[in-house]
Amino acid sequence: QLQLVESGGGLVQAGGSLRLSCAASGRTFSAYDMGWFRQAPGKEREFVATINWSGGSTTYADSVKGRFTISRDNAKNTLYLQMNRLKPEDTAVYYCAARNLAPGGRYGYWGQGTQVTVSS
């Protein structure tokens, strides 16, 4: 089974930047599409960004377009989320997730999450 561990969260002032990392182990990292999701207290988990297996295709939620960049380094088995110009509304627990490339694959592998808090 694929294991995912997020890191890089913390407290940052509005307008600042953070870089989240997600280290994968246990299976072939490049065999998965990857995504970042987040969940704030009292709210549903929401999509943030996705990246395909090769890194050649990405998608972003409208709320983070132009500010966040998702990337991956398959040689290091690591997924990244560069977050710039952070806003208080970005405060949430951020999770990385993996989707198998086989037909019918879903985001069924999840990390433990890392807290991002943006102060005003």
Side-chain angles (χ1 to χ4, degrees):
Q1 185 174 327
L2 185 69
Q3 287 84 45
L4 303 172
V5 180
E6 301 95 335
S7 62
L11 175 64
V12 66
Q13 189 175 357
S17 298
L18 284 174
R19 191 191 195 199
L20 306 183
S21 298
C22 174
S25 63
R27 300 295 296 272
T28 302
F29 184 57
S30 61
Y32 300 89
D33 293 340
M34 300 294 296
W36 286 100
F37 299 79
R38 67 187 182 186
Q39 186 168 23
K43 298 182 66 177
E44 292 291 306
R45 182 185 65 192
E46 65 178 352
F47 151 76
V48 175
T50 65
I51 187 166
N52 79 329
W53 68 273
S54 69
S57 180
T58 60
T59 64
Y60 296 92
D62 288 342
S63 59
V64 306
K65 285 180 180 177
R67 300 189 298 119
F68 291 10
T69 302
I70 188 171
S71 62
R72 66 192 296 164
D73 187 337
N74 287 346
K76 295 182 178 180
N77 294 337
T78 303
L79 175 74
Y80 303 98
L81 184 68
Q82 178 66 47
M83 305 185 294
N84 298 325
R85 293 182 283 122
L86 283 160
K87 305 174 181 179
E89 51 262 46
D90 294 319
T91 295
V93 177
Y94 283 71
Y95 300 90
C96 67
R99 178 175 67 186
N100 195 281
L101 300 182
R106 59 183 178 87
Y107 284 103
Y109 301 93
W110 296 85
Q112 84 289 347
T114 186
Q115 177 70 48
V116 172
T117 303
V118 184
S119 64
S120 59

